[in-house]
Amino acid sequence: MIQKCLFPVAGYGTRFLPATKSMPKEMLPIVNKPLVQYGVEEAVAAGLTKIGFVTGRGKRAIADHFDVSFELEHQIAGTDKENYLTGIRTLIDTVNFSFTRQNKMLGLGHAILSGETLIGDEPFAVVLADDLCIVLDEEGDGVLSQMVKLYKQFRCSIVAIEEVPKQDSPKYGIIAGSMIREGLYNITDMVEKPKPEEAPTNLAIIGRYILTPDIFDLIRQTPPGKNGEIQITDALLKQAQNGCVLAYQFKGRRFDCGSVPGFIEATNFCYQEIFCKQQS
Ligand code: G1P
C-alpha cells in the first residue's frame, strides 16, 4: 500500500518577499503552525508515514523543524509551555523524514523526478504545501485519506481537482474527462495553465496527487512545456493516454496559501475554526 509522501519544497516563494528572503515559504505560519506541518499531518492521517522532502538552497529550517530541539525542550521541560510542542513531537516520534535536493528550478515534474531516489518503485503521494486543504474533524477524512481510499479501489494515478472560475485557469493545470460517477473523472485531456479561452473545462488540479511509479520514466521522456519547465501535467497526460488517470473532486476546503489573499483567508479560518475552538 501507499506509505510515502513527497513534498516538493524547493520553490522561492517570491510572492511573499521580503518575508521569504531567508525563510522557506513553507515555514510561514497559519496561526501557530507552519504551512508544511499541516500538509505532513494530513499525510500521516492518511497512513503515509514516510515523508520525503525535495528541498533546495535556504530550506534548512524545514529539516530543523522536523527534528528534536534539545535545548528548547530542556528549557521548557516541566512548564505549561511543553504542551505547545506535543503535536510536532508526535510527528517526530512516528514519522520517517528524508531529504534530497533539487538544484535547478526546472518545474514540478523535475522536482518530483528529483524525489525518485526517496520513493523507489512504489506508488506515492505528492503534497504541494501551498495548497492548504482543511477538513474539520467532524466533517470526515482529510483529502489525502479520501484519495488513498480511491487508490485502493482503482490502483492508478489520481489528481485532486476543484472547480475554479474560468479566468483563473492560467494559474492551474486544467483537466477534461469522462465522468465515472459524481465527482470522479477518467482524464482524457490536461493542459498546464491554459488561457481561459483555451481551458477545456473549469476543473483545476489542486496540489494533491497519488502517482504510480511509472510516472518517473514518463517525466524523463517529457520535454519542457509551459514556461520552459518540465510539467507533471504533461507526464500525467501521457499516463492517462497509455492507461488511466483519475481526477477526484475532493470533499473539504482548500486555500491557495501561495497567494497573500488565500493565506489571509486560511489564517482567519484556522484561527476561528481550529485555534479558538482548541482554546475553549
Ligand atoms: C502546480 C501545477 C498545476 C496545479 C497547481 C496546484 O502549479 O503545475 O498543474 O494546478 O500546482 O496548486 P504551481 O502552482 O506550482 O505553479
Side-chain angles (χ1 to χ4, degrees), residues 15 25 108 128 130-131 171-174 191-193 204-209 229 231-233 254 256:
R15 276 182 281 179
K25 61 173 172 163
L108 181 56
L128 306 184
D130 282 359
D131 279 330
K171 293 196 219 160
Y172 299 100
I174 303 288
V191 198
E192 181 66 10
K193 305 196 171 90
I205 303 170
I206 297 312
R208 300 290 181 278
Y209 304 77
E229 296 178 335
Q231 300 294 349
I232 189 64
T233 307
R254 164 257 174 187
D256 173 15

Side-chain angles (χ1 to χ4, degrees), residues 155-254:
R155 309 259 164 185
C156 65
S157 291
I158 307 170
V159 301
I161 52 163
E162 167 176 276
E163 286 184 19
V164 297
K166 267 254 163 138
Q167 72 267 21
D168 285 349
S169 38
K171 293 196 219 160
Y172 299 100
I174 303 288
I175 69 112
S178 51
M179 198 189 269
I180 298 176
R181 60 174 195 238
E182 187 67 36
L184 189 64
Y185 300 82
N186 192 352
I187 290 180
T188 51
D189 196 13
M190 295 173 101
V191 198
E192 181 66 10
K193 305 196 171 90
K195 292 184 187 136
E197 60 276 17
E198 283 161 14
T201 66
N202 66 342
L203 298 173
I205 303 170
I206 297 312
R208 300 290 181 278
Y209 304 77
I210 288 183
L211 301 174
T212 52
D214 52 314
I215 199 70
F216 294 124
D217 276 339
L218 292 168
I219 300 173
R220 263 187 282 276
Q221 293 157 20
T222 301
K226 190 84 188 180
N227 302 329
E229 296 178 335
I230 306 210
Q231 300 294 349
I232 189 64
T233 307
D234 297 340
L236 278 165
L237 177 60
K238 267 188 255 161
Q239 203 179 37
Q241 287 163 343
N242 295 344
C244 174
V245 175
L246 298 178
Y248 170 59
Q249 213 164 351
F250 61 90
K251 295 177 186 68
R253 49 187 92 54
R254 164 257 174 187

Side-chain angles (χ1 to χ4, degrees), residues 33-276:
K33 194 156 68 178
L35 205 37
V36 65
Q37 191 179 330
Y38 288 86
V40 169
E41 288 175 353
E42 184 188 329
V44 172
L48 315 179
T49 53
K50 295 183 179 173
I51 303 289
F53 292 98
V54 179
T55 71
R57 288 180 291 279
K59 299 281 182 167
R60 283 174 51 183
I62 298 176
D64 287 342
H65 184 70
F66 293 105
D67 196 358
V68 176
S69 170
F70 285 109
E71 278 175 44
L72 176 66
E73 298 208 10
H74 176 73
Q75 199 70 38
I76 65 175
T79 75
D80 53 4
K81 294 190 178 121
E82 256 186 321
N83 293 339
Y84 296 137
L85 289 181
T86 312
I88 184 70
R89 261 330 283 252
T90 308
L91 287 180
I92 292 168
D93 291 344
T94 53
V95 176
N96 176 283
F97 294 101
S98 51
F99 300 83
T100 190
R101 283 225 187 186
Q102 182 189 14
N103 53 16
K104 293 188 197 101
M105 293 295 108
L106 294 178
L108 181 56
H110 179 261
I112 292 173
L113 186 57
S114 305
E116 184 181 17
T117 174
L118 304 179
I119 300 296
D121 189 23
E122 52 186 285
F124 62 104
V126 174
V127 168
L128 306 184
D130 282 359
D131 279 330
L132 176 62
C133 292
I134 302 277
V135 181
L136 298 175
D137 287 345
E138 61 274 20
E139 294 173 333
D141 286 341
V143 175
L144 271 185
S145 300
Q146 297 168 35
M147 293 173 74
V148 166
K149 271 192 198 145
L150 263 187
Y151 178 80
K152 286 182 185 157
Q153 197 183 344
F154 291 95
R155 309 259 164 185
C156 65
S157 291
I158 307 170
V159 301
I161 52 163
E162 167 176 276
E163 286 184 19
V164 297
K166 267 254 163 138
Q167 72 267 21
D168 285 349
S169 38
K171 293 196 219 160
Y172 299 100
I174 303 288
I175 69 112
S178 51
M179 198 189 269
I180 298 176
R181 60 174 195 238
E182 187 67 36
L184 189 64
Y185 300 82
N186 192 352
I187 290 180
T188 51
D189 196 13
M190 295 173 101
V191 198
E192 181 66 10
K193 305 196 171 90
K195 292 184 187 136
E197 60 276 17
E198 283 161 14
T201 66
N202 66 342
L203 298 173
I205 303 170
I206 297 312
R208 300 290 181 278
Y209 304 77
I210 288 183
L211 301 174
T212 52
D214 52 314
I215 199 70
F216 294 124
D217 276 339
L218 292 168
I219 300 173
R220 263 187 282 276
Q221 293 157 20
T222 301
K226 190 84 188 180
N227 302 329
E229 296 178 335
I230 306 210
Q231 300 294 349
I232 189 64
T233 307
D234 297 340
L236 278 165
L237 177 60
K238 267 188 255 161
Q239 203 179 37
Q241 287 163 343
N242 295 344
C244 174
V245 175
L246 298 178
Y248 170 59
Q249 213 164 351
F250 61 90
K251 295 177 186 68
R253 49 187 92 54
R254 164 257 174 187
F255 300 95
D256 173 15
C257 292
S259 76
V260 173
F263 187 89
I264 300 301
E265 214 187 306
T267 301
N268 289 334
F269 182 85
C270 292
Y271 176 69
Q272 263 155 32
E273 298 299 326
I274 301 176
F275 186 81
C276 288

